[in-house]
Amino acid sequence: MALAVLYTFRRCPYAMRARLGLLLTQCNVEVREITLKAKPAQMLAASPKGTVPVLVLANGEVIAESLEIMRWALTQADPLDLLCQQSPVIEGKMAELITQNDQQFKPWLDRYKYADRYPEQTQADYYQQASHFLTQLEACLGQHSFLVADTPRLADYAIVPFIRQFAAVDLKRALSDDFPRLAAWLKNLISSEIFIRAMEKYVIWDASHSPTCLLGDM
């Protein structure tokens, strides 16, 4: 049986998101780790925009957005009820948080991380701008153990790669200083078995080599 193929780059938060979704639903896929400096022709043929992740299904369909890969995986199986489809209020809250993460927080995260490329403001200014979203997440965690419930849901796994990236920008500035609940949430998730598996290192894919990794093979 032909497997779906995932083109991924280990450190990209969007690719982390896709890998988490596939692992959580135990979807077996062939993993093709790439280098951004030499993107394989096969990936570019499937998705000319050249960004990861890219999932090529066995029928040839291409999914080139991380959240859509997560949602596709969850249509195959959702044993942990990550989508909360029986709870429209929670489902709506998750969609809102993920949209805010992607459209509002991520641009400020990029400016905070690469402040030298954006001299219009200081890194401290960008930290403050990004903190608006983090303050919202901190408030959510004052109500539940995770962002929308007392167990992890789609929003937690979709957002955690970006909070991890934010916390790593300045290791001298502990996330727990300003956002203690968020720091504990982050530590909990990134130390989980599923996240550790999502961050496994793969050799750079080469078309001459046989596939060696099945991401969802539990």
Side-chain angles (χ1 to χ4, degrees):
M1 180 178 176
L3 292 173
V5 172
L6 177 72
Y7 292 95
T8 182
F9 178 64
R10 182 175 178 269
R11 297 197 307 273
C12 171
Y14 293 104
M16 289 179 204
R17 175 189 274 180
R19 296 194 303 268
L20 283 167
L22 293 164
L23 280 166
L24 286 160
T25 56
Q26 299 185 28
C27 287
N28 288 337
V29 302
E30 178 187 342
V31 177
R32 295 182 178 179
E33 178 76 11
I34 71 155
T35 173
L36 299 180
K37 295 180 180 179
K39 299 170 185 175
Q42 294 87 341
M43 186 189 90
L44 294 173
S47 179
K49 68 177 184 174
T51 59
V52 290
V54 175
L55 183 68
V56 183
L57 303 183
N59 64 5
E61 180 184 350
V62 176
I63 308 176
E65 296 292 338
S66 60
L67 188 60
E68 293 308 309
I69 291 173
M70 292 190 90
R71 291 191 177 279
W72 173 82
L74 289 166
T75 65
Q76 311 306 300
D78 188 6
L80 303 175
D81 191 28
L82 298 180
L83 288 174
C84 300
Q85 291 182 315
Q86 302 305 314
S87 305
V89 173
I90 295 179
E91 193 176 7
K93 180 64 174 177
M94 288 199 300
E96 179 184 349
L97 287 175
I98 294 170
T99 297
Q100 287 179 298
N101 177 83
D102 292 5
Q103 297 183 8
Q104 298 173 25
F105 173 67
K106 183 59 165 65
W108 292 119
L109 166 58
D110 290 342
R111 284 162 173 76
Y112 173 54
K113 183 176 181 180
Y114 303 110
D116 57 330
R117 302 180 189 176
Y118 301 94
E120 299 84 3
Q121 298 183 46
T122 67
Q123 187 179 50
D125 292 329
Y126 295 132
Y127 180 95
Q128 290 303 320
Q129 294 288 353
S131 291
H132 294 309
F133 181 62
L134 304 188
T135 298
Q136 185 177 348
L137 298 185
E138 184 78 4
C140 291
L141 293 167
Q143 301 175 38
H144 321 94
S145 300
F146 293 89
L147 294 180
V148 297
D150 286 326
T151 55
R153 304 293 185 178
L154 175 65
D156 298 279
Y157 292 111
I159 291 173
V160 69
F162 301 89
I163 306 304
R164 174 183 179 272
Q165 188 178 63
F166 181 90
V169 171
D170 183 358
L171 297 178
K172 295 179 182 178
R173 186 169 194 166
L175 188 66
S176 58
D177 290 346
D178 295 325
F179 308 101
R181 295 190 189 97
L182 189 62
W185 168 89
L186 175 63
K187 181 179 180 180
N188 186 1
L189 285 175
I190 66 175
S191 62
S192 67
E193 180 183 356
I194 204 76
F195 195 90
I196 291 169
R197 286 205 63 200
M199 294 304 294
E200 287 180 2
K201 292 184 178 181
Y202 298 94
V203 297
I204 301 300
W205 177 76
D206 185 303
S208 65
H209 296 160
S210 299
T212 55
C213 303
L214 301 179
L215 184 66
D217 185 5
M218 303 295 283

